[in-house]
Amino acid sequence: MREAAAIAPDVCPRLPRGVRLVHNEAQGGWVLLAPERVFKADAIAVEVLKRCTGEATFRAIIDDLAQSFAAPRDRILADVTTLLRGLADKKLLEL
Amino acid sequence: MAETGKALHNPLGLLAELTHRCPLGCPYCSNPLALDPRQDELDTPTWARVFAEAAGLGVLQVHLSGGEPGARRDLADLVAAARSAGLYSNLITSAVGITADTLRQLADTGLDHVQISIQDNTPESADRIAGYAGAFARKQALAAEVVRLKIPLTVNAVMHRANIDHLGDMVALALWLGASRVEIAHAQYYGWALKNRAALMPTTDQVKRAAAEVETLRTRHRGEIVIDAVVPDYHARLPKPCVGGWGRRSLNVTPAGKVLPCHAAETIPGLEFWSVREHSLADIWANSPAFNAFRGTAWMREPCRSCARRDVDFGGCRCQAFALTGDARATDPVCHLAPEHDKVAALAAEQHDEPYTYRRM
Ligand code: SF4
Ligand code: SF4
């Protein structure tokens, strides 16, 4: 896998219209609904996506996650960059 | 206790065939040859009940399809009903019959996504395939409107011998229209498409070139547009898990209210389908004979029964097995392990340039 390109600290990631994060008991938890596709969202993805409101900056999201999970900021930054880039490539997120 | 391999899953998707009426006449249409007439169509409250029952079963997305859903005057009410049931709504349209006004209404009601079909990259050829003069221009106009309203757009391109060499240009067109996703779908030979099979069938060379081109285009347009494509059945070695497994992931409601495990299921003789007019969706999902006929793996014969892939592809498509072997329990002959696999290869090599039989009511 190639390394994900960096995300500028001041962009505000958001779910585009047509992509919704919903909780559904019958399907066993959180799912991301997208055009003709449904993705199961794991616990980490849910924590990240809930923060992608279009209001918080990428920098603030990383700070918040590092604090909430008491994890090294560098690692969070790398993991979340990979996750969000992957979602953006699939048109599930706007950066 | 559920029988082994027959455990009941929650369906994810509902294909709502709102009507069979359609101004276009695509020869690859997978609707049945015997189309439901308008007077048999379910009314608005019944569809609203079906959407609510679907959501109760765990369904997340409803695909509003047809025919041309724009032929329903209550389309905005149906989108509203889907929305209030909590469903993600996807409009699958030919674009002919949906005005800019209707679309704005649908957007206000909360429509989540629009899929527009295009038949080819030039108006002459596209309109010839659709059997409708001026269709291409109307598709472009509606696509522009969808993008202007910021609703995500998928372009659906059904490929066959007449247009498969234009795949690259069709993806370029989708990009130009502002689509975020393009679906390269190959004609599936049910209904009208089966009638037109020899006129539609691409050559093996065409299919190979198209597959290579998809790979190139995916790399070139990464992040710009999502390109979804699958190998066409008759040219594959392994079958697709049709509808994600019979009675496992999705259900299909016909214009008149019959509930099918897949849109072609009525081509299999002897199956008993139940209607939403007489039963709740939950009752149908769990108990209708048609849904239980091929649920799980217990119905399988060899070579599927002892195959490692039986929980991956579920033995392929039942409708295709029936269409090609006369036995709905047979291994899908697309599979290279199927005794009748050579039949598929022979059909894939059969091309006749005869005029299309257009889909008409
Ligand atoms: S495939 Fe063509 S003819 Fe069939 S419903 Fe769609 S637009 Fe109409
Ligand atoms: S034998 Fe049956 S289960 Fe095995 S790959 Fe072929 S179709 Fe699938």
Side-chain angles (χ1 to χ4, degrees):
Chain A
M1 238 181 92
R2 53 180 201 161
E3 203 172 312
I7 298 171
D10 51 355
V11 303
C12 299
R14 61 183 308 169
L15 299 184
R17 172 154 190 188
V19 180
R20 291 199 259 141
L21 182 69
V22 301
H23 188 79
N24 186 291
E25 277 309 326
Q27 302 298 349
W30 287 93
V31 285
L32 196 59
L33 300 180
E36 295 176 56
R37 291 166 297 169
V38 174
F39 301 87
K40 273 222 149 67
D42 61 26
I44 298 168
V46 170
E47 286 305 325
V48 177
L49 288 172
K50 277 183 179 167
R51 290 166 168 81
C52 294
T53 56
E55 272 150 35
T57 62
F58 183 60
R59 182 192 299 113
I61 292 173
I62 299 296
D63 287 344
D64 182 15
L65 287 168
Q67 203 179 22
S68 309
F69 296 95
R73 195 179 188 284
D74 283 356
R75 239 196 61 210
I76 298 266
L77 178 66
D79 290 355
V80 175
T81 300
T82 309
L83 175 70
L84 295 191
R85 277 281 172 217
L87 291 171
D89 277 355
K90 296 195 193 108
K91 294 277 177 187
L92 300 173
L93 188 87
E94 278 172 10
L95 288 173
Chain B
M1 257 322 272
E3 195 180 321
T4 326
K6 252 194 181 178
L8 208 52
H9 290 76
N10 296 113
L12 275 175
L14 171 73
L15 183 71
E17 292 179 347
L18 301 178
T19 176
H20 275 156
R21 288 174 284 150
C22 181
L24 269 54
C26 308
Y28 58 73
C29 186
S30 59
N31 282 162
L33 299 178
L35 297 162
D36 289 347
R38 174 186 200 151
Q39 63 271 20
D40 290 355
E41 290 175 10
L42 297 178
D43 60 10
T44 324
T46 309
W47 275 117
R49 170 173 65 80
V50 169
F51 294 161
E53 289 177 354
L57 264 176
V59 167
L60 296 169
Q61 294 188 319
V62 60
H63 308 285
L64 303 168
S65 173
E68 170 47 55
R72 293 275 311 211
R73 291 221 189 93
D74 56 352
L75 189 55
D77 296 330
L78 294 173
V79 169
R83 182 75 192 201
S84 64
L87 298 174
Y88 181 106
S89 57
N90 172 24
L91 179 69
I92 299 180
T93 177
S94 70
V96 177
I98 307 253
T99 62
D101 269 350
T102 312
L103 186 72
R104 207 164 312 125
Q105 245 185 310
L106 300 182
D108 291 344
T109 323
L111 182 66
D112 286 295
H113 174 246
V114 176
Q115 184 197 106
I116 297 180
S117 59
I118 55 166
Q119 279 67 20
D120 208 342
N121 63 325
T122 63
E124 301 73 36
S125 173
D127 290 355
R128 186 186 69 84
I129 293 168
Y132 189 97
F136 186 80
R138 294 172 70 170
K139 286 161 189 284
Q140 287 197 321
L142 191 74
E145 207 49 30
V146 170
V147 172
R148 201 180 63 76
L149 293 170
K150 297 198 160 50
I151 307 173
L153 171 69
T154 289
V155 162
N156 172 271
V158 174
M159 312 305 298
H160 44 87
R161 191 160 77 252
N163 65 6
I164 191 166
D165 294 331
H166 313 153
L167 189 151
D169 288 334
M170 290 171 85
V171 170
L173 175 61
L175 264 166
W176 181 79
L177 290 172
S180 51
R181 181 167 165 270
V182 57
E183 210 175 78
I184 308 291
H186 290 270
Q188 298 212 297
Y189 300 106
Y190 309 111
W192 295 82
L194 184 59
K195 229 179 159 49
N196 287 296
R197 184 168 57 195
L200 295 168
M201 186 68 73
T203 66
T204 307
D205 274 353
Q206 283 183 311
V207 169
K208 280 193 186 141
R209 277 200 304 274
E213 182 147 29
V214 164
E215 283 318 308
T216 312
L217 292 167
R218 273 190 182 140
T219 316
R220 186 180 310 156
H221 299 300
R222 185 196 298 268
E224 276 180 292
I225 192 166
V226 175
I227 305 178
D228 280 338
V230 283
V231 181
D233 266 351
Y234 282 42
H235 294 86
R237 283 187 82 236
L238 289 170
K240 279 190 268 301
C242 190
V243 290
W246 189 272
R248 199 167 167 273
R249 283 338 232 165
S250 59
L251 25 78
N252 181 106
V253 180
T254 68
K258 267 194 231 172
V259 189
L260 320 176
C262 93
H263 68 280
E266 280 178 292
T267 58
I268 300 176
L271 287 182
E272 182 187 332
F273 303 103
W274 288 1
S275 166
V276 297
R277 294 184 202 270
E278 282 112 37
H279 300 266
S280 75
L281 215 53
D283 186 17
I284 296 173
W285 180 252
N287 303 316
S288 118
F291 275 86
N292 281 318
F294 305 111
R295 198 171 246 149
T297 52
W299 57 270
M300 287 180 178
R301 305 224 180 100
E302 293 299 351
C304 296
R305 181 179 278 276
S306 57
C307 179
R309 282 181 56 88
R310 66 174 197 185
D311 297 306
V312 177
D313 64 28
F314 312 100
C317 170
R318 293 307 90 221
C319 306
Q320 192 150 267
F322 175 76
L324 298 181
T325 73
D327 177 4
R329 283 173 197 277
T331 296
D332 184 339
V334 163
C335 178
H336 66 114
L337 299 171
E340 304 196 61
H341 181 62
D342 50 338
K343 268 197 186 167
V344 174
L347 286 167
E350 218 173 283
Q351 282 96 19
H352 302 299
D353 285 319
E354 59 213 17
Y356 297 140
T357 304
Y358 287 104
R359 171 220 201 262
R360 298 282 178 239
M361 287 299 256

